Amino acid sequence: MVACGAGWRLLLVLSAAGFGAVGAPKPPNILLLLMDDMGWGDLGVYGEPSRETPNLDRMAAEGMLFPNFYSANPLCSPSRAALLTGRLPIRNGFYTTNGHARNAYTPQEIVGGIPDGEHLLPELLKGAGYASKIVGKWHLGHRPQFHPLKHGFDEWFGSPNCHFGPYDNRARPNIPVYRDWEMVGRYYEEFPINLRTGEANLTQVYLQEALDFMKRQQVAQRPFFLYWAIDATHAPVYASRPFLGTSRRGRYGDAVREIDDSVGKILSLLRDLRITENTFVFFTSDNGAALISAPKQGGSNGPFLCGKQTTFEGGMREPAIAWWPGRIPAGQVSHQLGSIMDLFTTSLALAGLAPPSDRVIDGLDLLPAMLRGQLTDRPIFYYRGNTLMAVTLGQYKAHFWTWTNSWEEYRQGIDFCPGQNVSGVTTHTQEEHTKLPLIFHLGRDPGERYPLSFASTEYLDALRGVTLVVQQHQKTLVPGQPQLNVCNQAVMNWAPPGCEKLGKCLTPPESIPEKCSWPH
Amino acid sequence: MVACGAGWRLLLVLSAAGFGAVGAPKPPNILLLLMDDMGWGDLGVYGEPSRETPNLDRMAAEGMLFPNFYSANPLCSPSRAALLTGRLPIRNGFYTTNGHARNAYTPQEIVGGIPDGEHLLPELLKGAGYASKIVGKWHLGHRPQFHPLKHGFDEWFGSPNCHFGPYDNRARPNIPVYRDWEMVGRYYEEFPINLRTGEANLTQVYLQEALDFMKRQQVAQRPFFLYWAIDATHAPVYASRPFLGTSRRGRYGDAVREIDDSVGKILSLLRDLRITENTFVFFTSDNGAALISAPKQGGSNGPFLCGKQTTFEGGMREPAIAWWPGRIPAGQVSHQLGSIMDLFTTSLALAGLAPPSDRVIDGLDLLPAMLRGQLTDRPIFYYRGNTLMAVTLGQYKAHFWTWTNSWEEYRQGIDFCPGQNVSGVTTHTQEEHTKLPLIFHLGRDPGERYPLSFASTEYLDALRGVTLVVQQHQKTLVPGQPQLNVCNQAVMNWAPPGCEKLGKCLTPPESIPEKCSWPH
């Protein structure tokens, strides 16, 4: 909610970089470019062989590359909730307890969403005078109380759920597209996506929304927070006509090329407006490439194991580029272990704000890493549902549980690790290793193929460090109320606000709350 | 041999770049940096997550990157013979017929070597006044008639075989290290390699040899050809003390870091000598990373399938960077399908020489690609022994045979594709697909995981193109006399020239020629 709770206060802090000081210039604009299902290996600068991302590669050359940057979950909604709250999904409620170690998200029938008690980044940034806009996918719940404009954003253009479809508007409504408080149409209706050709104009629309917003804030002389959460690389992948068929990588590559071109145009506008030195830009993705959709509709996780839905590196290691000419030194690589949750804390630091002090914040302020090359020890936790599957500390990753998906699913052709099979690691039964975790050295073995010998000194030393960190984490962990347990056909997008003006209100079925089914 | 045969002549040609014209300045120096078992994914610029190759990454940023560059064989000796002759191993004799589709190389007991009838690059470059030196591994036969100074090189510092060992000098001699015509010591004796710590000073020695040679040629005002064929990334991998323990990637990474540092020093010297604009430099590797030696002694093939010994992309796709400031535009990527054999033809073109016209040359002149961004259609052939396993044409790769290694070897733990398993593709029996090849689209599917459907139009179109090219190739193919069929303990490095001066001559055993055993 926008209103500040009693338990915490917005604090002006003098961040290490000196922003927010009395009399200082207005805090920098913040531009978070969040991709959907884009993999670590999808950019030229990360080694994609077709090398079709000149604008993003240039962004990296002018900024800082993070090769060890992680999402907070191998699935979209929890990862996005973590970004905006700075907290692990297990804390902010974006998980399920319906089964052991199950991934969950926010399909149309989900009843839950972002709890009111969570403080979202745009809410907090209001305290420093920011105007905030989300362009694209919200994914933090679509019922009225979860609307992004009730959680700090001033503007929204985009949709609450994935662009799956088309649906028949009887068993299941097509997903609405909102402008601010009201829907302005639905996917496959007013906002067409041609599943056969892959043509859709959406990235161009999202680009214009971003450019327009930035221009308006510049005129208004307000610092802005723009959360550009586009989804062309999520199946069904799409591109607009000028990009279709232009990639060496097929349709997925067409989508990447259009995104790369759009990022180029966004950075160009910042140059044209002469605000590059007052605008912090960060590019990353919500989870690993969806290898289940490969090769035509899925991306690449480079040398890493498996993809989306898994807690192997391919599921959670992300492309990440920070760009802020004149502040972040050009052409640098940071080996800081980074998390999507750090974007919360870092953005607050940029605004001269302290994070909420009444709750655990998992995000780290990356400004010391970005501005001065400092490295901070911190763990990366890999959860599936409420199960801590793995943790990375330094270069060591310990798996407490291994699972890809069930044999039943796998036999049906659902494969999160196509072409990959590491014996005893990419298991199709949930294997517990909590007593004796599998530990990998991610520097020597980024592909998680060679567990350290249990008898080695290296293993024992790594285990000691990991055990301490995990004990500390679990001792203080207070799980949030799980939001992704209950589903109900009646809560789908039958009659979003504004539907009456468009004559597009649909009649919901009888309300029957059910336990959501999360198969993996 | 150095003397020119009657059947061909050195021809001065006006290459597209205009070198070699009458009255033109001396032709450019040629510097080929050939790595040993380094994989496509081992450089930062190719996406290696630890990003420890700043000098090579800078070389790429100042030059041209080839993401689609191939060795001529998944094993060392044939690939090197192909580089220096511009011809496929099946033509120049660097293959075996002892078994079906077997990789072979030049261990100490090999009887064969580079045939006299082959014209090697340094022989031909003499026609344009070049001074030539090989630093490092020769690998084209170690019997007297195969000595590199009998095949065009003016100088040699290095060894004829791999740095395996230590041996007992009774059942098997340690490998000699030569300076020019004579041995100056042996590995593990005068040239120590500490297998426990990984310490060896060899890269530093090879670096000094390179720097000294270039300085001398600059003083002499002779164009030079330097073939820097170092081997620190071949198991047992090694690095000198200042680099040991410095990599995030373990010992293999230490070796890479030392090589990167050395390449930086070599390019620095070119700058200091002010000859960058008259020196063509190319960096590549002899075959894919040896995943059998991973994770401690093997590199990375990035997103590609399998490694050394196989005809999947991981076995033969190589890192490749061309650098020639002022001539090759900076920061470019070329999607030209390139081959290590192209370095032969390209080097001749640089020298203003035509390739021999009395034989088939497989190498392509890459100058049009490098200087003007032109792309030329050409196939890449993937052989194992005398069996054509696969071919790539455009973005389509067709496999006529698939094999990794035998079940017997695999069960013993010899795995060329650790952690990878593509059903029906990474087979442990030799599977024939000549009637209906498996075809992959390498742009959408660089990891060779999803064969095209046999029934698709795309498959049929690709097959048509591939079939024509293969028919043409096979119709005109005249295999050379296989050099890698016969082994004999008596031909090992018992008493290389110069051994008597060092008191290091050993007594060979009885000469018993045998069929070499090539298990995979």
Side-chain angles (χ1 to χ4, degrees), chain A residues 302-331:
Chain A
F304 297 114
L305 188 61
C306 302
K308 179 178 177 179
Q309 302 275 7
T310 78
T311 48
F312 300 106
E313 292 296 283
M316 287 181 54
R317 205 192 275 227
E318 304 304 328
I321 306 170
W323 186 89
W324 191 9
R327 304 306 300 259
I328 296 174

Side-chain angles (χ1 to χ4, degrees), chain A residues 73 77-78 81 88-99 102-106 110 113 383-387 477-486 518:
Chain A
N73 196 265
S77 303
L88 283 167
I90 185 79
R91 300 192 210 274
N92 67 32
F94 265 66
Y95 69 101
T96 181
T97 54
N98 284 2
R102 300 303 164 99
N103 296 317
Y105 74 110
T106 53
I110 200 77
Y383 273 90
R384 215 158 149 163
N386 58 345
T387 302
L477 179 69
V478 182
Q481 186 68 26
Q483 295 296 311
L484 309 179
N485 280 353
V486 183
W518 304 117

Side-chain angles (χ1 to χ4, degrees), chain B residues 502-518:
Chain B
L502 302 171
K504 296 193 84 95
C505 300
L506 303 168
T507 308
E510 188 187 357
S511 173
I512 307 173
E514 293 177 311
K515 222 171 141 175
C516 307
S517 163
W518 303 116

Side-chain angles (χ1 to χ4, degrees), chain A residues 33-40 46 66-90 92 94 103 227 282-290 301 304 306-320 336-343 362-363 366 378-384 388 390-392 397:
Chain A
L33 309 173
L34 184 72
M35 301 302 110
D36 203 337
D37 286 3
M38 187 180 274
W40 190 95
Y46 281 96
F66 288 83
N68 313 306
F69 195 89
Y70 292 86
S71 70
N73 196 265
L75 212 59
C76 40
S77 303
S79 182
R80 288 155 194 263
L83 186 165
L84 290 175
T85 61
R87 286 151 56 79
L88 283 167
I90 185 79
N92 67 32
F94 265 66
N103 296 317
Y227 174 48
F282 202 94
F283 177 95
T284 190
S285 180
D286 65 342
N287 47 244
N301 296 314
F304 297 114
C306 302
K308 179 178 177 179
Q309 302 275 7
T310 78
T311 48
F312 300 106
E313 292 296 283
M316 287 181 54
R317 205 192 275 227
E318 304 304 328
Q336 174 66 49
L337 286 184
S339 162
I340 203 168
M341 298 180 289
D342 301 346
L343 300 179
D362 298 286
L366 290 180
R378 68 92 65 89
I380 298 292
F381 295 108
Y382 306 66
Y383 273 90
R384 215 158 149 163
L388 181 63
V391 64
T392 288
K397 179 172 180 183

Side-chain angles (χ1 to χ4, degrees), chain B residues 135-146:
Chain B
V135 174
K137 185 154 129 186
W138 167 241
H139 233 200
L140 264 56
H142 56 278
R143 295 173 64 211
Q145 65 270 39
F146 305 128

Side-chain angles (χ1 to χ4, degrees), chain A residues 54 116 196 239 263 356 386 413 495:
Chain A
D116 263 10
R196 192 182 56 77
V263 172
N386 58 345

Side-chain angles (χ1 to χ4, degrees), chain A residues 40 45-47 49-51 65 67-68 248-249 291 294-295 304 333 335 395 418-421 441 443-444 449-450, chain B residues 40 45-47 49-51 65 67-68 248-249 291 294-295 304 333 335 395 418-421 441 443-444 449-450:
Chain A
W40 190 95
V45 68
Y46 281 96
S50 294
R51 299 245 157 202
L65 189 79
N68 313 306
R248 296 171 59 89
R249 302 179 65 197
L291 302 184
F304 297 114
V333 172
H335 285 294
Q395 296 217 93
Q420 298 178 314
N421 176 32
H441 185 282
R444 292 196 303 267
R449 285 165 166 78
Y450 307 94
Chain B
W40 190 95
V45 68
Y46 281 96
S50 295
R51 300 244 156 202
L65 190 79
N68 313 305
R248 296 172 59 89
R249 302 179 66 196
L291 302 184
F304 297 114
V333 172
H335 284 295
Q395 296 217 92
Q420 297 178 313
N421 175 32
H441 185 282
R444 292 195 304 266
R449 285 165 166 77
Y450 307 94

